Amino acid sequence: MYITPEGKEIFIVDGHTHFWDGSPENQANIHGKQFIDCFYAYHSNLSPEDQLWEKAKFEKYTEDDVYRDLFVDGPDDIAIIQSTYLSDFYKNGFSSIERSTSMAARHPERFIVNGTFDPRDGEKALEYIHYMKENFDIQGVKMYTAEWNGDSKGWALNDPAAYKCFELCDKLGIKNIHVHKGPTIIPLSKDAFDVHDVDHAATDFQNLNWIIEHCGLPRLDDFCWIATQETNVYAGLAVAMPFIHSRPRYFGEVMAELLWWVGEDKLLFGSDYAIWTPQWIVEQFWNYQIPDDISAERSGVQLTDEIKEKILGLNAAKLYGIDVEAKKKELSGAPVQIAAE
Amino acid sequence: MSMATLKADLEIEVFERLERVTDPELDEPITDMGFVERVEVVDAKKVEVDFRLPTYWCSPNFAFLMAWGIRQQVSSLPWVHEVKVDLKDHCFMERVNEGVNGDRDFREVFTEYCNGESLEDVRLKFMAKAFDRRQETMLLAVREAGYSAQDIVDMTLAQYDALECQGEEDAKQHPRYRELLVSRELAARPDDPVFVTWKGTSLTKDDLKDHLAKLRGTRINMEFNGALCRGLLSTRYKEVKMGDDGPTLIDFIQKAALTNAQAAEQAQR
């Protein structure tokens, strides 16, 4: 719960968080090391100075850290934990559904744990989707199209094998497909950040919600165009949010484009924890206004309190079927406990 | 002139030549971005250049284009007999280094990783973005200077050449926009309109607002990567290391590049 300076309670759903293990013990090779190093560079580069973590903590933080950072020091009511295996880089997976579910067990009312799969695994991917539904009753999955898998260095949402998986998701009621468009490696002629496969998949799977993390950046214009055409495409704001601190005017330009093209009902807050913690992002976001000259270029769009409330929680609550009033009551009766230090 | 001075002079010459190599995604010289890690001239004829990108995962096609740009530019110096380019700490470095230093034509190597698409097509895509970004800077600058929409779409190459730039960014982009415009034959004679689209279409005053919105879209994308690249590089590598004889030339150059990058960052906030 975020309490505004006027005392209003704002319900927060953090749409993009992780509980990873990037420690040297779990790294399978140099790629595993370089992957977490790159995350750490994002962290140290875009965080306010007083929010910086030491490398070792960043590589592997504890369950208590998660509770404290998200719910005690942080304003989150609900956190959506994403799974990402990166099996070519990490021995036991980077962030596995089993480990995250076990972490969430102390406060299950606070977490939604999403699964993931790799369509290139063929039949095994389909079996795995069944396994996740039966054992964890997942409502969503995180797709990472730049993941390496043997000789393959990436895949597209409209690959035939991926379509088989999405058909199964649709059938099992796994509705929310979070997509992280990482840079694709080969072919080199392809735009590494291309988002056009989203268009095909969203058209062909109208029952599924397509939440594109970091709102398609650095292909914001293409993404906006697609999201305008498709009613089931949403923008996750992870990675875009921290620019509010380092480059506030730039953040305003991004938000103006998103509000103009995609609309206030389809934008979802995400801190990308543990790359960033939600407390400072939510606080700065609540106090933020798009500069007038930027807003004027897009017919005066602005982040009103009402719109901010939607972005910070109400939009995600709709996608995940959360009854906000009931949830608020439930949570106020069950404060988060962390072990005494 | 001592051997050491000659070597240092030649290294500076190489470094200046490298200023012509740009990061295709950002349209910034790789020297300004601080990507060049080491320049060494051996026996006044052989040149070794090491470069590093902000992350291990930076897109390999950018890495290829930059590596080849380095080789091409350095080879164009008359005294250079041999060039060795070394990309460090990158997920695709073996193939990039093999491709750029091998005997095969680099277009051929690139095509192999491109499902048949040519290097030139990929280059053109990036050039179009660079054109948009440079043009936006100049359009905003002339608008700021008080030119009306009609004045702007009517502006000729001759009038453009006579402009006096007020800001640092438009002073930088003024010659760069012109260079691309003329090299793509989008304007040639002094009375040709200077603000046209990349496809060569002329603009009317009513088009200008939508056209600017499109250019802004290109810039927002490029700035996202630019901001991340500068920041990530500074957190990945930046410490000036002292050699046995004090800091080396490249240390100073890098330090300058970093300071410039930070200043640019500050200016944009």
Side-chain angles (χ1 to χ4, degrees):
Chain A
M1 192 73 68
Y2 174 71
I3 313 283
T4 72
E6 296 78 33
K8 186 167 186 225
E9 292 184 343
I10 306 297
F11 186 74
I12 309 284
V13 179
D14 196 336
H16 200 76
T17 66
H18 311 83
F19 183 51
W20 66 60
D21 177 1
S23 66
E25 294 72 34
N26 194 27
Q27 293 165 8
N29 47 38
I30 177 73
H31 306 310
K33 176 183 159 30
Q34 291 284 0
F35 192 85
I36 190 72
D37 283 0
C38 183
F39 270 28
Y40 188 65
Y42 273 76
H43 165 75
S44 42
N45 177 29
L46 290 177
S47 297
E49 264 176 42
D50 60 352
Q51 301 290 332
L52 292 176
W53 289 11
E54 280 178 17
K55 182 77 178 296
K57 177 184 172 184
F58 188 85
E59 286 170 343
K60 189 179 183 180
Y61 43 97
T62 66
E63 294 188 358
D64 281 352
D65 289 329
V66 177
Y67 293 121
R68 185 187 315 101
D69 295 335
L70 299 184
F71 309 117
V72 180
D73 295 345
D76 291 3
D77 289 290
I78 306 258
I80 300 173
I81 300 258
Q82 309 289 0
S83 300
T84 306
Y85 280 82
L86 303 172
S87 306
D88 280 19
F89 302 171
Y90 292 97
K91 294 173 192 161
N92 300 313
F94 184 61
S95 59
S96 77
I97 191 168
E98 290 83 3
R99 184 166 177 266
S100 294
T101 304
S102 148
M103 179 278 292
R106 227 194 297 167
H107 285 284
E109 73 283 2
R110 294 270 181 184
F111 291 98
I112 293 166
V113 180
N114 279 344
T116 185
F117 57 81
D118 186 334
R120 292 165 297 185
D121 295 341
E123 282 299 315
K124 280 194 175 151
L126 299 172
E127 284 167 25
Y128 189 65
I129 294 169
H130 279 292
Y131 161 82
M132 289 187 296
K133 188 65 194 173
E134 281 159 27
N135 291 281
F136 304 102
D137 193 25
I138 54 168
Q139 299 180 60
V141 285
K142 162 81 178 283
M143 302 282 92
Y144 183 46
T145 58
E147 182 161 355
W148 292 14
N149 187 337
D151 286 340
S152 164
K153 305 295 181 221
W155 56 281
L157 297 173
N158 56 340
D159 289 345
Y163 268 28
K164 282 193 180 156
C165 294
F166 296 136
E167 278 162 17
L168 181 58
C169 287
D170 192 3
K171 196 174 131 200
L172 297 179
I174 302 166
K175 294 282 184 200
N176 297 318
I177 317 291
H178 294 253
V179 180
H180 176 158
K181 296 296 302 179
T184 352
I185 307 270
I186 294 175
L188 298 179
S189 53
K190 194 173 161 59
D191 178 349
F193 304 102
D194 188 74
V195 289
H196 285 99
D197 52 342
V198 174
D199 204 358
H200 297 287
T203 303
D204 292 334
F205 293 93
Q206 295 282 340
N207 286 333
L208 302 178
N209 303 312
W210 299 86
I211 302 132
I212 310 308
E213 298 303 341
H214 53 79
C215 49
L217 280 165
R219 295 293 174 261
L220 186 70
D221 47 355
D222 292 340
F223 169 73
C224 284
W225 181 247
I226 292 165
T228 310
Q229 312 295 312
E230 309 291 340
T231 52
N232 54 338
V233 171
Y234 296 76
L237 296 178
V239 184
M241 296 294 303
F243 280 91
I244 200 170
H245 171 73
S246 56
R247 297 164 77 91
R249 270 190 69 81
Y250 179 70
F251 179 74
E253 289 189 299
V254 172
M255 289 310 301
E257 293 298 303
L258 288 170
L259 286 170
W260 168 259
W261 291 104
V262 187
E264 63 193 65
D265 295 317
K266 293 165 85 182
L267 308 180
L268 272 56
F269 160 68
S271 66
D272 230 338
Y273 183 82
I275 304 184
W276 300 286
T277 48
Q279 184 270 332
W280 64 270
I281 296 180
V282 170
E283 196 175 295
Q284 292 197 23
F285 184 67
W286 190 264
N287 294 314
Y288 183 83
Q289 288 284 288
I290 299 173
D292 288 341
D293 60 317
I294 293 171
S295 159
E297 296 284 348
R298 284 297 182 204
S299 303
V301 291
Q302 190 49 273
L303 285 164
T304 61
D305 286 2
E306 191 195 348
I307 291 177
K308 286 174 184 166
E309 201 172 353
K310 286 184 180 178
I311 294 173
L312 286 171
L314 303 185
N315 290 342
K318 267 189 201 154
L319 291 185
Y320 279 87
I322 300 164
D323 177 338
V324 173
E325 288 314 312
K327 197 63 165 178
K328 277 185 184 171
K329 246 180 233 156
E330 181 192 352
L331 295 179
S332 65
V336 171
Q337 306 287 334
I338 46 177
E341 286 173 62
Chain B
M1 188 187 280
S2 77
M3 285 306 283
T5 326
L6 174 67
K7 185 171 148 71
D9 284 350
L10 294 179
E11 284 167 2
I12 287 171
E13 207 178 315
V14 170
F15 196 84
E16 283 170 354
R17 196 47 70 103
L18 293 177
E19 287 169 2
R20 300 182 191 180
V21 182
T22 55
D23 177 321
E25 175 75 8
L26 309 175
D27 190 35
E28 300 276 357
I30 57 170
T31 45
D32 284 3
M33 294 300 299
F35 293 171
V36 179
E37 290 283 317
R38 188 178 72 95
V39 170
E40 185 153 5
V41 175
V42 183
D43 300 335
K45 62 181 182 188
K46 185 183 170 190
V47 180
E48 297 171 0
V49 178
D50 294 353
F51 77 114
R52 280 197 255 211
L53 302 177
T55 83
Y56 185 76
W57 309 102
C58 292
S59 193
N61 59 359
F62 308 160
F64 261 111
L65 290 172
M66 285 184 260
W68 282 319
I70 291 171
R71 176 165 148 177
Q72 221 174 6
Q73 287 299 336
V74 176
S75 304
S76 69
L77 290 166
W79 52 267
V80 173
H81 289 245
E82 197 184 335
V83 186
K84 186 164 177 289
V85 181
D86 202 357
L87 170 65
K88 303 275 194 193
D89 296 343
H90 188 274
C91 64
F92 221 61
M93 63 191 170
E94 280 159 28
R95 274 164 283 192
V96 171
N97 291 334
E98 192 186 281
V100 73
N101 296 313
D103 297 330
R104 290 162 63 205
D105 182 86
F106 64 69
R107 287 175 192 86
E108 195 187 311
V109 179
F110 192 83
T111 305
E112 196 173 290
Y113 295 116
C114 272
N115 295 349
E117 213 178 328
S118 82
L119 177 65
E120 210 42 43
D121 293 343
V122 178
R123 270 206 180 128
L124 275 175
K125 281 184 206 165
F126 288 116
M127 223 183 262
K129 291 182 195 193
F131 179 83
D132 280 2
R133 182 158 195 192
R134 296 176 191 184
Q135 188 185 64
E136 192 209 18
T137 303
M138 295 318 300
L139 282 173
L140 292 177
V142 291
R143 198 173 70 171
E144 182 72 24
Y147 288 81
S148 71
Q150 191 65 54
D151 295 339
I152 293 173
V153 297
D154 289 342
M155 186 176 282
T156 63
L157 190 57
Q159 289 170 316
Y160 179 85
D161 288 340
L163 284 174
E164 279 179 33
C165 294
Q166 304 298 320
E168 198 181 322
E169 188 58 20
D170 46 302
K172 181 176 150 193
Q173 298 301 354
H174 186 268
R176 298 183 87 215
Y177 175 66
R178 188 189 202 283
E179 185 198 339
L180 207 45
L181 186 80
V182 172
S183 74
R184 295 300 303 169
E185 297 174 356
L186 293 164
R189 294 186 309 272
D191 58 347
D192 282 344
V194 74
F195 292 119
V196 293
T197 70
W198 174 247
K199 292 193 173 138
T201 322
S202 56
L203 295 167
T204 69
K205 74 174 172 43
D206 299 328
D207 296 335
L208 196 59
K209 188 168 189 271
D210 286 349
H211 181 67
L212 271 167
K214 182 185 159 285
L215 302 184
R216 182 167 66 238
T218 306
R219 172 173 52 80
I220 287 175
N221 291 338
M222 289 174 89
E223 261 192 75
F224 178 76
N225 280 349
L228 285 178
C229 291
R230 286 197 179 85
L232 295 180
L233 190 74
S234 69
T235 37
R236 190 179 186 188
Y237 292 117
K238 286 306 165 227
E239 272 168 79
V240 173
K241 290 202 178 72
M242 301 288 276
D244 294 340
D245 309 318
T248 59
L249 167 72
I250 203 76
D251 293 329
F252 285 116
I253 292 168
Q254 278 188 352
K255 205 172 170 184
L258 180 66
T259 318
N260 289 342
Q262 283 167 342
E265 188 85 349
Q266 288 295 336
Q268 282 168 19
R269 281 184 189 178

